[in-house]
Amino acid sequence: MSIYPPEDRIWWSKPVEKTEVLWVTIAFIWGLIMFFMMPYWHLTGDQNLSNEAYKITADKYAEKTEAFAKKYQVRVEGDNDVPVVKPPAGSDVYMLARLWDWWPILELEKGKSYRLHLSSLDYQHGFSLQPENINLQVHPNYDMVVTITPTSSGEFGIICNEFCGSGHHTMVGKMYVKDSK
Amino acid sequence: MTSPYRICPDTGFKVDLAGEKLIKWNAVTSIVFLAIGGLLGFLVALTRWPEIHLLGADDFYMVLTAHGIVILLVWLIYFEMALLYFASSILLNVRLALPKLAWLGYWLMTIGALLTVVIVLQGESNVMFTSYVPMQADPLFYIGIIVFAVGALCGCAVFFATLVIAKAEKTYEGSIPLVTFGAMTAAIIAVFTIASGAVILIPTFLWSVGLIAYIDPLMYKVIWWAMGHSSQQINVAAHIAVWYAIAAILFGAKPLSEKVSRFAFLMYILFLQLASAHHLLVEPGLSSEWKIVNTSYLLYLAVMASMIHGLTVPGAIEAAQRKKGYTNGLFEWLRKAPWGNPVFSGMFISLVLFGVLGGITGVIMGQEQVNIIVHNTLYVPGHFHGTVAAGTTLAFMAITYWLVPVLFRRELILPGWAKWQPYFFGLGVAGISLAMMGAGTLGISRRHWDITYADAAIKFDHPALAHLMMGINGVFATIATIGGVMFVVVIVGSLLWGKNRDEVPAAAAPEPPVADVPSAMTAHGSAGVANVSGTFTLALIFLAVFVLYFFVNWKFLASTWGLS
Ligand code: HEM
Ligand SMILES: [Cu+2]
Ligand SMILES: [Cu+2]
């Protein structure tokens, strides 16, 4: 009994139950399959994070994002005149997170790839692209780069899913994806 | 005072009175915190129920911070202290070492816990229990947690010292019991956990008072989760020890083979420092190689360990039941199990829900790429209510139904409530777990006050189904809360007003809701030949669900945007 010392003092030399051997083998193999699924997806799958990231200060990142927005702005939207920015395919695209918005609004083309940069000017934020449900963690002082290729078009919400203070639930951004001509 | 020992009339254990008192105090304190933490969880769920939306935003974030700390940290660790003292002093028939240190630990934990909770409830430290920098809490918030952890460390020291005394005084023969081995696993992991906690929380405290200028947010998370994730391994090791204990107590079950079960506990110790990457899979600046090796506990060996326990615990019960003559078909042993006894039903529901709801989802969302479609959504709390609420909490509730009559010598009041309580709590927690997973799959964020984004400058709408999920979550949260209240009423009521079992003449005493402890029947389950075909069938069904759901998630992932 498990609440008493084992009766066989030399329990380690007792044979193991057959069912246990079988199950341990199955579990081990299943573990290997699960493990190798991850490198396999790196080789063949379309959804992998690059892990490309750079140290950067908040000021520097804000500067870069503003320059980017100015360069490719096509219109402004909403009461706060948020720029809508339409960068060329393949280019570096910047979005910043801060208390409590995602800035600017992006307009991308379906099927084209963009190097999306994400960083925060203050606390950590959670980039959550809806309804695609793509979720990335955004840190201050780290510029994270992910190449994204939209495969659906329409209007997407970017909500914040890392708790970032009393206005966390008001932090919403937007991204447009247009069908390419 | 007479002898510092008494002999337990039910189990024959020599019970050290000083140790017993500590077990009682830690257990009772834990239940007080469970009651508070559970009610806070109910308030959270009522607020996330769109039709009710009970609390205001700031109160919600405060209450959620408190729910996390009170229930994850305080309830579980106090109860684990009680278990450590039980598994050492009582199971080894030895006096508890250093009772003064144990009391010091108890009071440090109490002061620390109260300090942090009071600070949180003042509303200036809404940082969630993870307190990610650069968000800052009141310095006393960190001090409280550090003091609490030092107290827990004292408890671990007492546990190890008790093992040493038992060995030196030869109070047992051969190796320590499997349950004690499991508790030792938990204690070893706890020491590592607390050390990691010190490494990160002490600098964070110094930063909060201005003595350190900057803490890197990524470095904080890497070390914080070395604590945060391994502390979940403490819970797992502890509740699995409880499963083995209950199988032994109720059925006289002995492990199919000691070697396999102990090996499985050893896997937890060997890989305890891994898997913190579960929480860091979509973080910038960490390499995929590190993420993959770490998140998988190196080839999933610790997952294999949990799958082993998942087979050997019910397998041991099956072998014991078949020995008693319940041999028909695959499942007579299970059908004829004492389902009306909360010690059994609680334990078995805990085992099933932990494996199916907590285990499968945890492994899958911990796959490097799959995490992209899960991270920080409500799926995550859905998963861990399967592990810590359904798994650990229900297992601890189950053994409490045995501790109260046997160790504390009190008859349970309201046995009818006790009988149904595990079903209420199990159903409720399974429901919130599934509802939150559903909502998370639909994109609903965790730790979020308003999924209609009414106050946001830019609008966004989730699908109606997601709102429905949050309503369903509220309904099941109510059931879970009823289950929690039933538990607290039965246990606290029994401790206060339950008949003292030693004063009741044995013949007249109604049967306590625990099966009698089989005395001499420990020599069955002859190695190599035990029939556990029922358990193995269940295990294969479990595996089929696991494999299916695994590939479903990869399929989901494959249908989203390209990321590279
Ligand atoms: C009556 C029972 C319970 C109910 C109704 C409940 C409900 C909830 C809900 C709705 C959330 C919030 C999810 C969010 O907004 O992010 C939550 C979070 C949480 N719950 Fe529970 N819960 C219960 C019991 C437990 C138990 C027993 C444990 C652990 C032993 C637990 C641990 C946690 C933790 C760690 C969090 C995360 C807090 C955070 O995100 O900071 N809960 N709970
Ligand atoms: Cu945010
Ligand atoms: Cu936020």
Side-chain angles (χ1 to χ4, degrees), chain A residues 125 160 162 164 171:
Chain A
H125 298 278
C160 177
E162 180 59 74
C164 56
M171 183 163 169

Side-chain angles (χ1 to χ4, degrees), chain A residues 99-100 102 124-126 159-165 167-169 171, chain B residues 447-448:
Chain A
L99 303 172
W100 285 285
W102 299 97
Q124 293 185 38
H125 298 278
I159 60 179
C160 177
N161 72 4
E162 180 59 74
F163 174 68
C164 56
H168 165 53
H169 47 274
M171 183 163 169
Chain B
R447 297 175 166 176
H448 201 282

